[in-house]
């Protein structure tokens, strides 16, 4: 799986999906090449080309700002969060940075801010419950962690590939 860089398809990590990225993808066409495998399916093919073209142009990013009740520190944004693609929160905040990594801060009483680094990988979206967190990985699989008394972190075995989390 390639590093998400600035966004899907930004193979040269310059916050722009353009002809240079297209050239790199076409050079690796038909091969198993982790750097050019945009969708992470193990081969560089038309699916990767489609993902690259959908994201053509400048990569989105935004500065994280938070306000409101800060009793758990969820509104005190850590300096290293950086530009993000998505952010969600409740008693804690969770963000997907433009490189696909996930950061969480605030209340961590149930481990909702303890990101499972070993199997999380790069992500495109996140969601936050009161005491649990959910992330959508670039390969369409979902990971969840934190409070699981009602099974909210137990991913169904037949869930399949997803496009959004809430």
């Amino acid at each position: 799986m390639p590093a998400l860089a600035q966004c899907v398809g930004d193979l040269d990590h310059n916050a722009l999906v353009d002809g240079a990225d297209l050239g790199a993808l076409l050079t690796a066409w038909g091969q198993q090449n982790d750097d050019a495998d945009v969708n992470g399916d193990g081969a560089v093919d038309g699916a990767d080309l489609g993902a690259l073209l959908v994201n053509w142009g400048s990569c989105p990013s935004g500065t994280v700002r938070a306000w409101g009740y800060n009793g758990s520190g969820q509104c005190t944004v850590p300096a290293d969060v950086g530009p993000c693609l998505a952010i969600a929160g409740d008693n804690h905040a969770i963000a997907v940075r433009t490189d696909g990594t996930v950061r969480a801060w605030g209340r961590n009483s149930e481990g909702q801010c303890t990101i499972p680094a070993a199997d999380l990988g790069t992500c495109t979206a996140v969601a936050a419950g009161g005491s649990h967190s959910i992330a959508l990985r670039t390969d369409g699989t979902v990971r969840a962690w934190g409070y699981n008394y009602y099974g909210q972190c137990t991913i169904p075995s037949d869930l399949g590939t997803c496009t959004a989390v809430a």
Side-chain angles (χ1 to χ4, degrees):
M1 172 64 67
L4 189 59
Q6 298 299 317
C7 62
V8 175
D10 181 19
L11 303 179
D12 59 3
H13 313 289
N14 67 351
L16 182 67
V17 178
D18 60 8
D21 301 303
L22 178 60
L25 187 140
L26 293 175
T27 299
W29 192 269
Q31 302 173 24
Q32 185 173 359
N33 180 314
D34 287 343
D35 292 330
D37 184 11
V38 175
N39 68 355
D41 68 355
V44 180
D45 55 20
D48 299 299
L49 177 60
L52 185 143
L53 293 175
V54 164
N55 293 295
W56 195 269
S58 296
C59 298
S61 67
T63 301
V64 176
R65 303 211 191 287
W67 55 92
Y69 178 71
N70 195 33
S72 300
Q74 66 270 32
C75 291
T76 305
V77 180
D80 66 341
V81 171
C84 293
L85 300 172
I87 188 164
D90 195 335
N91 289 320
H92 68 291
I94 183 167
V96 179
R97 296 169 38 155
T98 55
D99 66 358
T101 59
V102 174
R103 286 277 283 126
W105 62 97
R107 183 175 176 207
N108 194 32
S109 59
E110 302 295 335
Q112 65 268 39
C113 292
T114 305
I115 298 164
D119 69 345
L120 192 57
T122 55
C123 298
T124 59
V126 290
S131 298
H132 69 285
S133 299
I134 303 170
L136 176 63
R137 297 170 17 135
T138 54
D139 66 1
T141 59
V142 175
R143 296 289 185 270
W145 61 97
Y147 186 70
N148 193 37
Y149 185 78
Y150 299 105
Q152 60 270 48
C153 293
T154 304
I155 308 298
S157 60
D158 63 346
L159 184 61
T161 303
C162 299
T163 58
V165 291

